[in-house]
Amino acid sequence: MEKIDDFLIKLPFCYDKIKENMFFYLNYFQLIGTAQHSLEVAQEAEILADKFGLNPQKAYVAGLLHDIGGVVPDESRVILATELHFNIFEEDKHLPLLLHQNFSAYIAKEHFGIEDEQILSSMACHTTLKPGATEFDKLIFISDKLKWDNKHSAPYFDEVLNQLDISLDKGCLAYFDWLFEVGMPIIHPYTQQAYDELKLKYQ
């Protein structure tokens, strides 16, 4: 059984080269596709940050590192998350994939030297979003969705893009509308609460 230290291995990091570090780290764990996806999310986040008056440099870093928690395999996530005292829901236990966002924030802080709470917060909810999400949280969340990690284009892409011409809220709401219409078998409590907040806001 893996320990969290297994994923905090000594690598030839240069802390002012986050992109190179990310690629080296994910490639070490043979997650080449994840590395490319992360770069695409970072580029999208940088563009959207400028559009919405947020910090493009921070957005780029958050995008680069948002999926590094993927190095922790599914079968180890619940046990390691428990040992690290993460806030774990039943939905996380049924779908451990969801916990990779928490591990991303943890590894970014402990291994990549990221201390900015805005960046760490956005990484820790980039899959589910969360109630009380900041604009920066929403930015990384929707950037990840626009760069859907799939060989086919995201079915919600055009509508989300149209709504982003209005606001980040509207873009997130468009994605959630699609998600709930499709009827996902597992809806994380944070996703439900974030969706309810947005629906209430725009009633």
Side-chain angles (χ1 to χ4, degrees), residues 67-131:
D67 263 353
I68 56 173
V71 302
V72 181
D74 267 2
E75 62 270 20
S76 301
R77 286 176 184 168
V78 174
I79 293 174
L80 290 179
T82 301
E83 291 178 359
L84 293 170
H85 305 292
F86 290 171
N87 188 20
I88 306 172
F89 295 88
E90 284 301 314
E91 289 77 6
D92 296 314
K93 296 176 183 178
H94 288 296
L95 187 61
L97 166 72
L98 297 169
L99 287 168
H100 84 278
Q101 62 182 5
N102 307 81
F103 283 109
S104 289
Y106 180 87
I107 293 171
K109 183 174 183 178
E110 297 298 323
H111 200 31
F112 284 76
I114 304 298
E115 297 182 352
D116 189 290
E117 289 301 325
Q118 195 174 41
I119 293 175
L120 296 174
S121 171
S122 69
M123 292 170 62
C125 69
H126 79 265
T127 302
T128 60
L129 205 54
K130 63 181 179 182

Side-chain angles (χ1 to χ4, degrees), residues 9-34:
I9 55 179
K10 291 183 179 180
L11 295 174
F13 278 176
C14 179
Y15 284 101
D16 62 344
K17 294 185 177 181
I18 300 294
K19 182 177 78 171
E20 290 82 355
N21 292 348
M22 178 274 289
F23 269 98
F24 193 100
Y25 184 68
L26 289 177
N27 288 344
Y28 181 89
F29 288 99
Q30 301 182 341
L31 295 175
I32 298 170
T34 301

Side-chain angles (χ1 to χ4, degrees), residues 66-198:
H66 81 284
D67 263 353
I68 56 173
V71 302
V72 181
D74 267 2
E75 62 270 20
S76 301
R77 286 176 184 168
V78 174
I79 293 174
L80 290 179
T82 301
E83 291 178 359
L84 293 170
H85 305 292
F86 290 171
N87 188 20
I88 306 172
F89 295 88
E90 284 301 314
E91 289 77 6
D92 296 314
K93 296 176 183 178
H94 288 296
L95 187 61
L97 166 72
L98 297 169
L99 287 168
H100 84 278
Q101 62 182 5
N102 307 81
F103 283 109
S104 289
Y106 180 87
I107 293 171
K109 183 174 183 178
E110 297 298 323
H111 200 31
F112 284 76
I114 304 298
E115 297 182 352
D116 189 290
E117 289 301 325
Q118 195 174 41
I119 293 175
L120 296 174
S121 171
S122 69
M123 292 170 62
C125 69
H126 79 265
T127 302
T128 60
L129 205 54
K130 63 181 179 182
T134 66
E135 292 297 285
F136 196 85
D137 292 333
K138 296 169 189 173
L139 171 74
I140 302 306
F141 172 78
I142 207 62
S143 296
D144 179 51
K145 304 306 175 284
L146 287 174
K147 295 302 176 181
W148 200 39
D149 194 8
N150 191 299
K151 65 180 179 180
H152 303 295
S153 61
Y156 50 78
F157 182 85
D158 289 341
E159 182 59 21
V160 168
L161 213 57
N162 287 338
Q163 294 301 311
L164 282 173
D165 282 337
I166 302 172
S167 69
L168 272 171
D169 277 351
K170 286 288 192 177
C172 292
L173 191 55
Y175 169 76
F176 280 144
D177 282 342
W178 171 83
L179 182 71
F180 281 83
E181 182 179 343
V182 167
M184 297 296 287
I186 294 178
I187 297 293
H188 195 278
Y190 280 177
T191 300
Q192 184 68 61
Q193 293 168 35
Y195 183 50
D196 290 344
E197 280 186 359
L198 287 171

